[in-house]
Amino acid sequence: MKLPCSRLLLRIALASATLAATATQAAVPAPQRQYLLDFYVATNGAGWTTSTNWNGAPGTECTWYGVTCDGGQNTVTTLNLPSNNLMGTLPDWSALPDLQQIGLATNALTGAVPAISGLASLVTFDVSFNQLSGSLPSPVGLGQLQNYYAFGNQFTGAIPALAGAPALLRFRAYNNQLTGAIPALAGTNLVDIVLNSNQLTGSIPPLPASLTILRVENNQLSGPVPVAPPALAVGASTLCANNITPSVDAAWDKASTVTPWYTGCGTLPPAPGGATSIPTLSEWGLILMSLAAAAWGMATLRRRSHL
């Protein structure tokens, strides 16, 4: 039986649309699909809180929970799975060269973080609040990177150079086990540096004029405080406890809303006529013993005077 021309044309159109949709779905490169499959296995995907569509047929990758692709559905641009019960170690990122967002915060990931140096389009890197260890991946050469969040982990070693990431605005690596000095910050456009609760040493380097937040408390920093940038927000910065050299500085008082700003640091400013330091526990003990002995002596004299 012959179909009317209009119905035949409709069927051809539907078939063409189906083929076009299939071609679009299949456009994600095979290495990217394989990476996602490997990522699922490496991070215990079977135990994730949400894993909608993961491990679906080829061409469905851009519909998988936490995965976003570019407008043409040709490449993966986002891997965003925060608070999703990910466990295990991260595979190398090189199969996803067009990643713009890595959002893996508040999971139970362990081990070292693969290098991110090849991710030229990366804007946000967030692996905060996991159990990651080893060195922080270097952001040098990443011209689009704006946000680097690695706080609340077990990272060790030195902070990588930051001056080689010209777009970097926020660098937060607090609550780790980082050592060494704070790297040079001159020439950066950073507005937010949060490095408290590590084991950092040395002095605080000159700060960029763009900086609004500086938190470096609970480290082992020393030396004089640098000039306070004019952009510092009121009450958003903390410098102590450290062994930073005290100085009169109204700008830092304002930035920390503590007057003087060095309250809680390990040293006190020189007193008129000589230096004064906080007595140690043993020194306090000697002082108290001396006071007690003096009081006993006075009491003895009074008793004798009444005999």
Side-chain angles (χ1 to χ4, degrees):
M1 176 177 166
K2 252 179 152 183
L3 288 172
C5 184
S6 59
R7 188 176 297 178
L8 180 59
L9 290 174
L10 179 59
R11 288 192 176 184
I12 293 173
L14 289 173
S16 299
T18 301
L19 288 172
T22 302
T24 300
Q25 287 181 335
V28 175
Q32 295 193 16
R33 173 181 171 81
Q34 189 58 52
Y35 176 87
L36 294 175
L37 295 173
D38 294 343
F39 179 89
Y40 180 89
V41 172
T43 59
N44 190 35
W48 290 0
T49 304
T50 305
S51 57
T52 306
N53 292 341
W54 274 78
N55 298 330
T60 66
E61 295 82 8
C62 298
T63 70
W64 296 1
Y65 177 77
V67 175
T68 303
C69 299
D70 66 339
Q73 305 291 282
N74 296 316
T75 188
V76 175
T77 59
T78 296
L79 192 57
N80 190 38
L81 295 162
S83 303
N84 203 43
N85 201 37
L86 275 65
M87 304 174 66
T89 59
L90 295 170
D92 176 56
W93 306 106
S94 58
L96 302 180
D98 299 306
L99 274 178
Q100 299 173 16
Q101 311 282 339
I102 296 174
L104 304 175
T106 319
N107 284 292
L109 297 169
T110 56
V113 176
I116 59 175
S117 54
L119 306 179
S121 300
L122 192 63
V123 175
T124 295
F125 172 71
D126 188 355
V127 292
S128 55
F129 290 130
N130 280 281
Q131 301 166 27
L132 298 165
S133 57
S135 301
L136 292 173
S138 172
V140 171
L142 300 182
Q144 305 300 316
L145 185 63
Q146 297 180 18
N147 309 300
Y148 188 119
Y149 302 138
F151 49 88
N153 282 286
Q154 300 167 18
F155 288 114
T156 56
I159 298 172
L162 303 180
L168 190 60
L169 299 177
R170 300 169 191 86
F171 184 83
R172 301 180 183 179
Y174 62 90
N175 285 356
N176 280 291
Q177 300 167 27
L178 300 172
T179 55
I182 298 174
L185 302 172
T188 70
N189 296 304
L190 283 159
V191 299
D192 183 333
I193 302 173
V194 186
L195 301 172
N196 54 287
S197 303
N198 280 288
Q199 301 166 27
L200 300 173
T201 55
S203 59
I204 302 173
L207 302 171
S210 55
L211 197 66
T212 62
I213 298 172
L214 177 68
R215 291 193 56 186
V216 293
E217 71 267 25
N218 299 322
N219 280 287
Q220 300 165 27
L221 299 169
S222 58
V225 69
V227 174
L232 282 178
V234 175
S237 297
T238 314
L239 300 175
C240 297
N242 281 293
N243 288 313
I244 301 171
T245 305
S247 61
V248 177
D249 195 319
W252 281 113
D253 291 350
K254 182 178 179 181
S256 62
T257 58
V258 175
T259 303
W261 63 263
Y262 49 79
T263 301
C265 276
T267 55
L268 290 175
T276 302
S277 61
I278 299 173
T280 64
L281 289 175
S282 59
E283 290 171 337
W284 275 118
L286 290 173
I287 291 170
L288 292 173
M289 289 174 63
S290 298
L291 292 172
W296 180 83
M298 291 296 294
T300 300
L301 288 173
R302 289 194 187 96
R303 285 197 301 272
R304 287 179 177 177
S305 65
H306 287 87
L307 291 177

